[in-house]
Amino acid sequence: MKQHILIVGAGFGGVWSALSAARLLDQHDRHDVQVTVLAPQAQLRIRPRFYEPDVHTMLAPLDSLFDAVGVNFVQGTADSVDATLKQVGYHDAAGAKGTLNYDRLVLAAGSQLIRPDLAGMIEHAFDVDQIEQATRLESHLKTLASLPDSPARNTVVVAGGGFTGIETATEMPARLRAVLGQDADIRVIVVDRGPQIGASMGDGIRPSIIEASAHLGIEWILNASVESVDAGGVTLSSGQRIESRTVIWTVGFRASPLTQHVAGTRDAQGRLHVDSHLKVLGQPHIFAAGDVAYAATDTLGNHAVMSCQHAIALGRYAGNNVAADLLGVAPMPYSQPKYVTCLDLGAWGAVYTEGWDRQLKLVGQEAKDLKTQINSVWIYPPAADRATALAAADPLIPVA
């Protein structure tokens, strides 16, 4: 009977874990180990692009790629992890229950946006966290043209001035004018708890965010938070009322609830602490990759953030090491000392920095060209060719 490596999740961490595990097995000419990916769909959903229009196209099919490298795919949503029995429970699209046993597990179930328990948040707010929610927002935006001209129709409120909030807000003027016309009297308002525009992004990036906001006509309301949402607008903690048919929530990400099924230490976002080989602390048979892993990127005290930049590298190392652990060969310590930020700022351009202190390197169109290259080429999976795909899964290939 073949030994079994099970990977839960087909996001960046999961896909690259599967390819990397297949790569090491191929290098050792081992055909007695099966690699299986369990996920709701055999597609990599390009989550970093969900703030853009045409979101239904932001995915890459994985069937041919998995076939090319000999990875088995099981369609289903994981419900539970039993580390003692070495078993994962799941349900398929029809709700039928199933279980998968494993010899080694890579948990790469990703993260999700957590909406706060505020009045009207579930019923009336939008988000760009998953492709279904982003598609719902896009459909809503298209319906605005059928409504009578009004401040509420023409106003979008983005709750949160972090990375996702800024990219969503700066893309919104072009998206609104594509629906309402170039002469529409639109408003895009960012509501943020921070004391400054782009406070969470650092001093190097902030001037570009301020300039882009001014150029695009984006307003910021600082030191404020959303108190409630209804069909006609949003009320802030200050009591201020903003009439808006479109309120977008962008803050509060946590690791998949599946992490709660694994005994271990977690960070504030629910991510499991892992060792240098990405094995979950205290778990001899479970590795973690992507947004569920709290992993040190270097020896300076920096840790991976919830981004495809880190998820791709974490996946490559986790896949290599889970196979190495099963085969009894030396694992590779995860290391990703280079950190970059490339923030899209809509029609104004973008801003690119390097280092955890975010040293400014590119601004405007140059940064926009790089962002376009990242979003449309670099973060997509390799071609469904065995040699090409396995070569691309080398953990030593720099992601940034």
Side-chain angles (χ1 to χ4, degrees):
M1 182 180 293
K2 286 188 176 184
Q3 292 181 294
H4 193 207
I5 294 172
L6 176 60
I7 298 165
V8 176
F12 294 102
V15 168
W16 287 102
S17 291
L19 296 179
S20 188
R23 172 182 175 272
L24 193 69
L25 294 171
D26 182 75
Q27 288 181 339
H28 288 265
D29 196 28
R30 293 289 293 268
H31 305 285
D32 58 339
V33 180
Q34 176 66 61
V35 178
T36 296
V37 172
L38 170 66
Q41 303 89 16
Q43 54 187 222
L44 175 62
R45 296 179 162 199
I46 313 300
R47 194 181 185 191
R49 299 189 64 181
F50 289 174
Y51 65 93
E52 299 180 41
D54 300 319
V55 70
H56 64 282
T57 67
M58 307 303 181
L59 53 85
L62 296 171
D63 305 81
S64 297
L65 176 61
F66 286 161
D67 287 344
V69 298
V71 169
N72 181 46
F73 177 75
V74 174
Q75 185 171 12
T77 300
D79 300 313
S80 62
V81 178
D82 189 323
T84 302
L85 296 177
K86 293 199 288 188
Q87 191 174 81
V88 172
Y90 71 96
H91 67 272
D92 65 18
K97 299 285 187 179
T99 58
L100 290 170
N101 295 317
Y102 63 82
D103 293 286
R104 298 292 184 276
L105 173 68
V106 178
L107 190 60
S111 61
Q112 61 190 45
L113 181 74
I114 303 299
R115 296 197 190 193
D117 185 19
L118 298 176
M121 179 60 64
I122 300 300
E123 302 92 332
H124 301 295
F126 297 87
D127 66 64
V128 293
D129 182 44
Q130 303 297 328
I131 202 166
E132 290 83 4
Q133 283 72 39
T135 300
R136 174 175 169 259
L137 170 63
E138 184 159 32
S139 297
H140 165 78
L141 292 175
K142 290 177 180 178
T143 67
L144 294 178
S146 65
L147 300 178
D149 188 358
S150 70
R153 185 198 72 164
N154 298 344
T155 300
V156 170
V157 176
V158 177
F163 204 101
T164 302
I166 292 168
E167 291 197 323
T168 300
T170 53
E171 188 71 19
M172 200 52 62
R175 296 184 68 176
L176 282 174
R177 290 197 170 97
V179 172
L180 300 178
Q182 294 302 310
D183 297 327
D185 185 20
I186 66 168
R187 292 182 74 193
V188 178
I189 303 168
V190 178
V191 177
D192 189 49
R193 291 181 176 179
Q196 298 174 294
I197 291 176
S200 65
M201 303 302 297
D203 294 337
I205 297 180
R206 187 179 303 116
S208 295
I209 299 171
I210 293 171
E211 185 176 336
S213 296
H215 176 81
L216 298 169
I218 294 170
E219 305 168 42
W220 285 70
I221 299 176
L222 302 171
N223 295 304
S225 60
V226 170
E227 186 71 21
S228 64
V229 185
D230 57 56
V234 59
T235 301
L236 305 186
S237 52
S238 63
Q240 181 179 352
R241 170 76 178 175
I242 304 172
E243 299 299 318
S244 172
R245 294 296 298 265
T246 312
V247 178
I248 308 172
W249 187 263
T250 69
V251 292
F253 290 88
R254 285 191 61 83
S256 164
L258 277 179
T259 58
Q260 300 299 319
H261 294 252
V262 179
T265 305
R266 297 169 184 78
D267 77 338
Q269 292 178 295
R271 300 182 297 174
L272 290 161
H273 286 228
V274 295
D275 64 17
S276 63
H277 299 138
L278 305 184
K279 185 179 287 187
V280 175
L281 298 183
Q283 295 291 342
H285 305 120
I286 302 178
F287 292 72
D291 288 359
V292 301
Y294 181 71
T297 60
D298 52 37
T299 59
L300 303 176
N302 297 307
H303 289 78
V305 299
M306 290 181 172
S307 70
C308 65
Q309 174 184 175
H310 285 123
I312 291 170
L314 286 165
R316 286 173 175 163
Y317 278 95
N320 179 88
N321 292 343
V322 74
D325 197 55
L326 200 57
L327 299 181
V329 301
M332 298 175 65
Y334 166 64
S335 177
Q336 195 174 1
K338 186 175 182 181
Y339 175 64
V340 305
T341 299
C342 198
L343 180 70
D344 197 348
L345 294 172
W348 181 86
V351 58
Y352 170 78
T353 69
E354 295 183 354
W356 289 94
D357 56 349
R358 290 180 170 154
Q359 301 169 31
L360 196 62
K361 298 296 181 181
L362 297 174
V363 173
Q365 190 58 47
E366 279 189 297
K368 185 74 167 187
D369 292 342
L370 177 59
K371 181 69 170 182
T372 300
Q373 183 79 358
I374 292 170
N375 271 8
S376 61
V377 179
W378 293 2
I379 63 177
Y380 278 72
D385 171 79
R386 182 176 177 83
T388 300
L390 294 182
D394 185 350
L396 297 181
I397 296 174
V399 175

